[in-house]
Amino acid sequence: MESIYNMTFDKLNIYFHDLGEKSYRTRQLFDWLYIKRIKSFKEITNMKKEVIERLEKDFYFDALEIKAKEEAPLVIKYLLKFKDNNTIEAVLMKHDYGNSLCISSEVGCNMACSFCESGRIKKIRNVTSGEMVLQILKIEEDLKLRISHVVIMGIGEPFDNYDNVCNFVEIVNNNYGINIGSRHITISTCGIVPKIYEFSKFPYQVNLAISLHAPNETLRSKLMPINKVYNLDSLMEAIKSYLKENNRRVTFEYIMLNEVNDTEELALELANLIKGMNAYVNLIPYNETNNIGYKRSSKERIMKFYDTLKKNNVNVTIRREFGGNISAACGQLKTVKEAP
Ligand code: SAH
């Protein structure tokens, strides 16, 4: 048995075709699942009994439970529990352009970035595509609103769970279903180089963000162990190849760690590193966490870094802050271990 929410439109087409059913069955089923939001195949009224029984045999309705919910102005953090009792977090942010949901792609994370809370618990398992879909369905249902944007920036490294993440994009982008525009979906990676090449060929115009955080090998290796596997040089090459292949812009995320990566020399090095690329830099004020030594750069240091980049023709923005007071911000999300 498979979760029905794991099924892409194309896979369901094949499924119905194999049953000898017309292809419009897929559209009908997507409508029941994602427009009408049924919770059981019994609710379907426009398919023959035999088809419904067959669906019941082959698929189940996976579900998520809301274990906790914390609210601050414009942001709501959810602790969500899967059927196997593993938990993850998702964060809803209300922007003026719509509602954006930050979802988790893995239970735990193996990337072990030194500044990030999410990696404190090693990866337990992948989040399935259906469970990513359910993060949207559950929170839309809970808040009675429509999510217009999705960022895969919660717990986990999306390119360490590549196939599920791509399937997820296919499912939520489909215009018979949840219909979130591909340009409203952002995948953020710490730099799994082979997957960046693979992603260059992915036929959906999804935004790509790269967690850069340092403009040279030594510093990046110190902050992010992944740099010892795929170094900065190979990462930049992969991104250039991605940009050549796609007519898209990439975002470089750069957290501002006080007196670690926020000096003027490093700003110049960063400007030089990305010179001529169709890219922009998003400076992220570091969210301090309980158990780590890093401090957030002062406003002055952030502004100076920003100005240096600007002067050197880098497109740069400073990320608006969300959810710091409820530990819902970048790098503060974590899997909690609990007895079932
Ligand atoms: N693994 C992916 C997805 C997580 S995205 C990735 O690394 O891109 C989470 C973003 O928040 C990343 O850019 C991450 O580096 C950043 N981040 C981690 N800890 C943070 C913290 N304490 N404050 C601010 N940003 C943080």
Side-chain angles (χ1 to χ4, degrees):
M1 283 255 269
E2 169 134 48
S3 161
I4 191 64
Y5 300 116
N6 280 337
M7 296 297 284
T8 61
F9 198 84
D10 287 354
K11 281 191 198 143
L12 277 176
N13 266 339
I14 294 168
Y15 173 81
F16 281 120
H17 177 86
D18 289 350
L19 286 187
E21 287 294 315
K22 292 274 183 331
S23 65
Y24 63 76
R25 290 286 181 227
T26 308
R27 290 203 299 275
Q28 290 179 327
L29 185 54
F30 256 55
D31 187 68
W32 286 108
L33 291 173
Y34 300 120
I35 308 295
K36 301 193 173 76
R37 309 267 166 120
I38 57 168
K39 299 276 170 60
S40 137
F41 294 115
K42 293 211 164 48
E43 295 174 53
I44 296 177
T45 55
N46 56 0
M47 292 186 202
K48 301 185 289 259
K49 198 162 147 258
E50 302 82 72
V51 176
I52 292 172
E53 281 170 0
R54 187 60 201 257
L55 284 167
E56 284 175 324
K57 256 199 211 111
D58 294 335
F59 302 106
Y60 67 96
F61 279 77
D62 199 1
L64 271 181
E65 198 187 313
I66 297 175
K67 286 293 287 177
K69 184 172 159 185
E70 272 182 89
E71 296 193 42
L74 304 179
V75 40
I76 304 165
K77 179 173 80 161
Y78 286 88
L79 179 66
L80 300 170
K81 188 164 105 176
F82 295 130
K83 279 226 164 118
D84 67 354
N85 292 320
N86 277 309
T87 59
I88 47 104
E89 295 186 321
V91 181
L92 191 280
M93 290 159 285
K94 294 179 180 170
H95 295 275
D96 43 12
Y97 56 76
N99 298 310
S100 168
L101 186 68
C102 175
I103 67 163
S104 291
S105 58
E106 296 180 322
V107 180
C109 181
N110 281 340
M111 298 302 123
C113 298
S114 62
F115 45 80
C116 181
E117 201 56 26
S118 301
R120 305 278 151 225
I121 291 183
K122 292 285 141 252
K123 175 168 168 177
I124 296 168
R125 66 168 177 85
N126 286 329
V127 172
T128 64
S129 20
E131 288 168 335
M132 290 181 232
V133 173
L134 273 168
Q135 293 175 54
I136 298 177
L137 296 180
K138 190 75 193 177
I139 290 167
E140 283 195 341
E141 175 185 81
D142 185 59
L143 298 175
K144 298 183 182 54
L145 50 70
R146 162 122 168 88
I147 288 162
S148 56
H149 293 68
V150 175
V151 297
I152 310 180
M153 294 192 185
I155 301 161
E157 166 48 47
F159 280 0
D160 186 36
N161 183 14
Y162 186 80
D163 293 342
N164 284 337
V165 165
C166 291
N167 264 339
F168 162 78
V169 169
E170 237 180 288
I171 295 166
V172 297
N173 177 247
N174 190 282
N175 53 7
Y176 295 107
I178 301 175
N179 194 14
I180 296 177
S182 56
R183 281 151 204 266
H184 287 187
I185 302 173
T186 302
I187 301 179
S188 176
T189 178
C190 67
I192 314 273
V193 164
K195 294 297 170 194
I196 296 175
Y197 285 103
E198 207 173 327
F199 187 66
S200 306
K201 310 262 191 275
F202 184 58
Y204 293 79
Q205 299 287 297
V206 179
N207 303 307
L208 179 63
I210 307 284
S211 292
L212 190 66
H213 309 322
N216 63 55
E217 301 284 2
T218 319
L219 182 57
R220 196 162 192 271
S221 289
K222 229 166 88 187
L223 300 177
M224 304 171 72
I226 190 70
N227 200 65
K228 296 175 193 153
V229 185
Y230 305 111
N231 70 11
L232 183 59
D233 198 39
S234 67
L235 175 62
M236 296 311 288
E237 216 170 284
I239 296 164
K240 282 176 189 155
S241 152
Y242 169 87
L243 288 171
K244 221 186 260 167
E245 201 102 12
N246 294 271
N247 232 338
R248 316 267 316 139
R249 194 157 76 146
V250 295
T251 305
F252 287 110
E253 298 162 275
Y254 196 101
I255 49 177
M256 301 298 292
L257 301 166
N258 193 46
E259 290 179 21
V260 174
N261 66 352
D262 63 349
T263 64
E264 184 152 18
E265 298 82 79
L266 289 170
L268 288 168
E269 207 174 343
L270 175 58
N272 198 39
L273 181 73
I274 65 173
K275 198 159 61 196
M277 291 173 85
N278 189 14
Y280 81 99
V281 173
N282 195 199
L283 298 177
I284 309 174
Y286 179 60
N287 297 307
E288 293 175 13
T289 60
N290 292 334
N291 48 358
I292 313 172
Y294 296 110
K295 292 273 168 268
R296 167 186 294 207
S297 307
S298 65
K299 275 216 172 74
E300 296 70 45
R301 288 179 79 91
I302 296 177
M303 282 321 295
K304 190 143 191 242
F305 200 88
Y306 173 90
D307 286 339
T308 306
L309 291 177
K310 272 254 136 130
K311 267 189 226 131
N312 287 275
N313 304 316
V314 174
N315 289 312
V316 53
T317 52
I318 300 174
R319 180 175 291 175
R320 188 173 149 209
E321 288 186 69
F322 270 106
N325 46 349
I326 57 169
S327 292
C330 305
Q332 297 182 315
L333 303 182
K334 53 177 187 274
T335 296
V336 290
K337 277 206 172 135
E338 59 158 356

